[in-house]
Amino acid sequence: MKRIVLTLVAALFLQTFARADEGMWIPMLLKKYNIEQMQEMGFKLTAEDVYSVNQACLKDAVVIFGRGCTGELISDKGLIVTNHHCGYGQIQYHSSVEHDYLTNGFWAMSPEEELVNPDLTVTFLKRMEDVTARVLDGVNDDMKVEERNKIIAQNIKAIKEEAIKDTHYKAVLKPFFQGNQYFLFVNEVFKDVRLVGAPPSAIGKFGGDTDNWMWPRHTGDFSMFRIYADKDNKPAAYSKDNVPYKPAKHFPVSLKGVNEGDFTMVFGYPGSTYQYVPSYHLEMLTETVNPKLIDVRTEKLAIMNRFQEADPAVRIKYAAKNARISNSWKRWIGENRGLEILDAINKKQAYEEGFMAWAKAEAPEYADLLDKYKAVYKDYTNYNLTYGYYREMIPSNGIEIANLAGKMEALVALYKADELNAEAAQKLKDGLVKSVKLFFKDYYQPLDMEISAKLLSMYAENIEATFQPGVYNLINGKFKSDVNKYVDYLFAKSIFDEEAKVIEFINGFSAKSLKTLEKDPAYLLNKSFASVYGDKVYPQLKKYRSELADLDKAYMAAQMKYESDRIFYPDANFTLRVSYGQVKGYTARDAVYYKHYTTLEGIMEKDNPDIYDYRVPAKLKELYNNKDYGRYEVDGTVPVCFVATNHTTGGNSGSPVLNAEGHLIGINFDRAWEGVMSDLMFNPEQCRNISLDMRYVLFIVDKMAGAGYLLDEMTIIE
Ligand code: ARG
Ligand code: ASP
């Protein structure tokens, strides 16, 4: 009887969760699994139109923007569009109190006015290939893990070298299905990418962190860049002789808009998901890791917001840092809530019972997997939390002065070597001086002091005694447990909060400087935390992660056997994927149904000059009052955003949202609050991706920015 019940539970589970909307599919394999379903849902193109190595196709118009976003080509002159929040670092980089592009927006009115961005790249996928057999060549199940990994690493190296031999391409090779499959990606990376335009934050970040991860939404989250190439259309470092890149393909922009039920496809680079983890993983996140990290960030944000509100210069300096901290903070809160409402842990456990019953009966080699998982997560949870907390303390927007001091370790290593490599030392010094300048451009010492004190107290309270670094002996001894006194001393004595001193120190660095450094409290603070991490946390973390990697690989393979009829999609790993679904509203909670789109009316409803996030620019109000909407008007207003059922995650920001014809109808930029647990479990009833309607984008560029000339190079479908 029990067996039957379990099978039933498993079957129900599968039925609810194997739906059309869920999944991030490999473009090269659409033909095999998805294209028929996509066409049934309305898609008019073929698998070959999406991904092909023989002809120009949709994939040729999709790029990795920077390091963690997606972008797409919208003209044959290298014009790309991505999100405002993806170009945020660049927009901020060019901003100052005098030229405040964050606040006022920026539009290059001619190519000469476009702004050059050091270190910004755009990456095209040329081709991909399943290389599983070659990666696993020479390994077997009886081998020791180390030996196995060594052979795999050698194979990977050889495959990558061969793939890009005699070309300027870059090779990337990634595991799929937790190492049960491997794909090679051959990429082309462009290095001269210039800022063309961005709306003011009151449009591009309208609603700010208040509305972030929420629907209904009215954020005009876009910015535009242009790729430049050398005269042969090849990647080149910035040069004034470079010319606009001529892509193989760019997306026509459709002004036809969307109706509920319409097919939508998101084509981009989702970062990471965890769909196939055991229930222990969900327990770890919801009960321990998320709550603790949420608390640290709540405190950081409270301090930052206060300083930023008080001083416009500080507001600019900390704009990107604040957005970064706030973004995951809010997502973790939503993730916990979503998993709880979905009853995700119980669902996973029910699935696991079914799995175990099957394994015991039919695949005994997998019957101990869950017990093994249980044992690892029991200890891993604490190490994982400590690691997360350590990152919050210093490296990940924590105590900034200590983070900067920690950068000196590279110099220390050089000068401690038996023989000094003078050339390497000079190069390193130059690089460090550059990063020090960037550091101080966005630094405000009083803010850092307050956050430092808060973080040091929180760490002591939240992390167990074995992981308390030596610096607490000083705090509790000399400073009698008064963190504020210690922080006063830290900032009074260290040189690392003064730009001129740090630069002088680096430029004049010699063997003698090692002694000065050993007396600097910021350097010692970083060292004290780093050594706990390096000696006590990292080795264990590494051990557990490697054990988990083995278990994950086996559990993934086992799940595929257990549910042999199901078509699995691999977890996101920042490789190009297709998500398809349809435009659709949703029920957020009892009695609350959200429509699938928002309009300019909603922007005016939110308008509130007293709230920073809701200040509607005068120019937009003027257009609204005059109903000056031109061809972007629909039913007396302008559409702004829409939601659909595409399965997306971080990294998908900036992704093209395409209609049945493969035309650009939107730019993906977020997910709705009720569904952000989709990284762990997808709920078709409530998981929605949020996109910016292209009609609003063109309306802003054309009517508000007066940069209508850009529309001339686009292919617009009316
Ligand atoms: N939530 C979106 C994503 O994860 C947008 C983030 C940027 N916006 C912000 N207010 N922090 O990236
Ligand atoms: N906003 C996210 C991004 O930046 C997208 C998401 O998580 O849905 O990629």
Side-chain angles (χ1 to χ4, degrees), residues 533-550:
Y533 173 67
D535 298 344
K536 293 193 177 157
V537 183
Y538 180 70
Q540 288 297 102
L541 197 69
K542 200 173 143 201
K543 170 177 157 279
Y544 293 127
R545 288 200 172 162
S546 137
E547 287 171 17
L548 282 178
D550 284 345

Side-chain angles (χ1 to χ4, degrees), residues 335-351:
E335 190 168 88
N336 273 8
R337 178 187 173 276
L339 290 172
E340 161 128 26
I341 291 175
L342 253 190
D343 199 16
I345 294 178
N346 277 324
K347 282 202 171 97
K348 279 265 181 200
Q349 284 170 347
Y351 175 84

Side-chain angles (χ1 to χ4, degrees), residues 85 205 208-209 212-213 323 327 653 669-670:
H85 79 259
K205 205 182 170 187
D209 288 310
N212 190 23
W213 299 114
N327 196 41
S653 271
F669 70 96
D670 210 3

Side-chain angles (χ1 to χ4, degrees), residues 267-314:
F267 203 8
Y269 282 85
S272 1
T273 58
Y274 312 87
Q275 307 293 336
Y276 307 106
V277 291
S279 56
Y280 304 111
H281 190 93
L282 302 194
E283 279 170 354
M284 171 180 76
L285 291 185
T286 54
E287 286 161 22
T288 308
V289 176
N290 283 354
K292 292 277 188 201
L293 297 188
I294 289 166
D295 286 349
V296 195
R297 291 199 176 191
T298 303
E299 299 297 335
K300 278 189 195 177
L301 287 166
I303 297 172
M304 262 188 197
N305 289 338
R306 182 157 38 76
F307 275 98
Q308 285 181 276
E309 275 155 30
D311 180 345
V314 179

Side-chain angles (χ1 to χ4, degrees), residues 278 280 368-379 551:
Y280 304 111
D368 60 354
L369 268 182
L370 288 160
D371 283 341
K372 285 186 177 162
Y373 263 133
K374 188 175 175 182
V376 179
Y377 274 103
K378 186 172 155 280
D379 297 324
L551 291 174

Side-chain angles (χ1 to χ4, degrees), residues 145-425:
V145 186
E146 296 77 36
E147 195 187 349
R148 200 187 138 88
N149 289 345
K150 202 173 138 203
I151 297 179
I152 291 181
Q154 280 166 354
N155 288 347
I156 288 180
K157 190 161 173 270
I159 297 168
K160 282 167 69 175
E161 277 170 10
E162 187 200 300
I164 57 172
K165 197 164 169 277
D166 301 327
T167 71
H168 63 279
Y169 295 150
K170 299 252 175 338
V172 174
L173 206 152
K174 289 202 173 167
F176 282 65
F177 292 117
Q178 345 307 84
N180 287 288
Q181 207 174 354
Y182 290 86
F183 280 87
L184 164 76
F185 299 83
V186 175
N187 293 334
E188 186 173 33
V189 183
F190 286 82
K191 290 174 282 200
D192 184 357
V193 185
R194 304 183 196 168
L195 176 62
V196 172
S201 293
I203 303 270
K205 205 182 170 187
F206 182 77
D209 288 310
T210 316
D211 284 8
N212 190 23
W213 299 114
M214 308 273 252
W215 183 256
R217 187 66 155 277
H218 301 88
T219 312
D221 198 343
F222 76 98
S223 58
M224 289 184 183
F225 289 79
R226 194 185 300 283
I227 309 172
Y228 280 81
D230 68 13
K231 58 180 185 345
D232 301 319
N233 210 30
K234 296 258 160 43
Y238 166 77
S239 153
K240 62 176 185 6
D241 300 328
N242 284 349
V243 292
Y245 170 67
K246 244 186 121 20
K249 163 93 195 161
H250 67 273
F251 290 116
V253 177
S254 172
L255 296 184
K256 292 196 173 147
V258 290
N259 290 310
E260 185 137 38
D262 282 356
F263 173 87
T264 49
M265 161 173 157
V266 175
F267 203 8
Y269 282 85
S272 1
T273 58
Y274 312 87
Q275 307 293 336
Y276 307 106
V277 291
S279 56
Y280 304 111
H281 190 93
L282 302 194
E283 279 170 354
M284 171 180 76
L285 291 185
T286 54
E287 286 161 22
T288 308
V289 176
N290 283 354
K292 292 277 188 201
L293 297 188
I294 289 166
D295 286 349
V296 195
R297 291 199 176 191
T298 303
E299 299 297 335
K300 278 189 195 177
L301 287 166
I303 297 172
M304 262 188 197
N305 289 338
R306 182 157 38 76
F307 275 98
Q308 285 181 276
E309 275 155 30
D311 180 345
V314 179
R315 178 180 51 70
I316 295 176
K317 281 171 189 279
Y318 282 79
K321 290 177 193 169
N322 188 316
R324 224 176 299 134
I325 298 172
S326 160
N327 196 41
S328 301
W329 166 78
K330 202 164 173 186
R331 180 170 49 78
W332 292 330
I333 298 173
E335 190 168 88
N336 273 8
R337 178 187 173 276
L339 290 172
E340 161 128 26
I341 291 175
L342 253 190
D343 199 16
I345 294 178
N346 277 324
K347 282 202 171 97
K348 279 265 181 200
Q349 284 170 347
Y351 175 84
E352 285 160 6
E353 277 184 47
F355 171 85
M356 281 301 290
W358 165 82
K360 278 189 188 132
E362 288 173 48
E365 69 274 29
Y366 297 128
D368 60 354
L369 268 182
L370 288 160
D371 283 341
K372 285 186 177 162
Y373 263 133
K374 188 175 175 182
V376 179
Y377 274 103
K378 186 172 155 280
D379 297 324
Y380 172 63
T381 297
N382 195 26
Y383 281 94
N384 196 23
L385 169 69
T386 308
Y387 167 63
Y389 226 96
Y390 160 72
R391 294 204 35 85
E392 294 296 323
M393 290 302 294
I394 297 179
S396 172
N397 297 297
I399 305 173
E400 295 177 273
I401 190 178
N403 199 32
L404 181 65
K407 297 225 183 333
M408 301 306 120
E409 291 297 1
L411 269 178
V412 173
L414 270 187
Y415 280 83
K416 274 195 176 156
D418 293 338
E419 215 173 302
L420 179 69
N421 179 339
E423 199 185 324

Side-chain angles (χ1 to χ4, degrees), residues 43-44 136 138 150 227 297 395 453 484 511 570 603 655 681-682 684:
F43 192 45
K44 303 240 168 58
L136 297 181
K150 202 173 138 203
I227 309 172
R297 291 199 176 191
N484 288 315
I603 296 183
S655 298
M681 197 179 273
F682 191 84

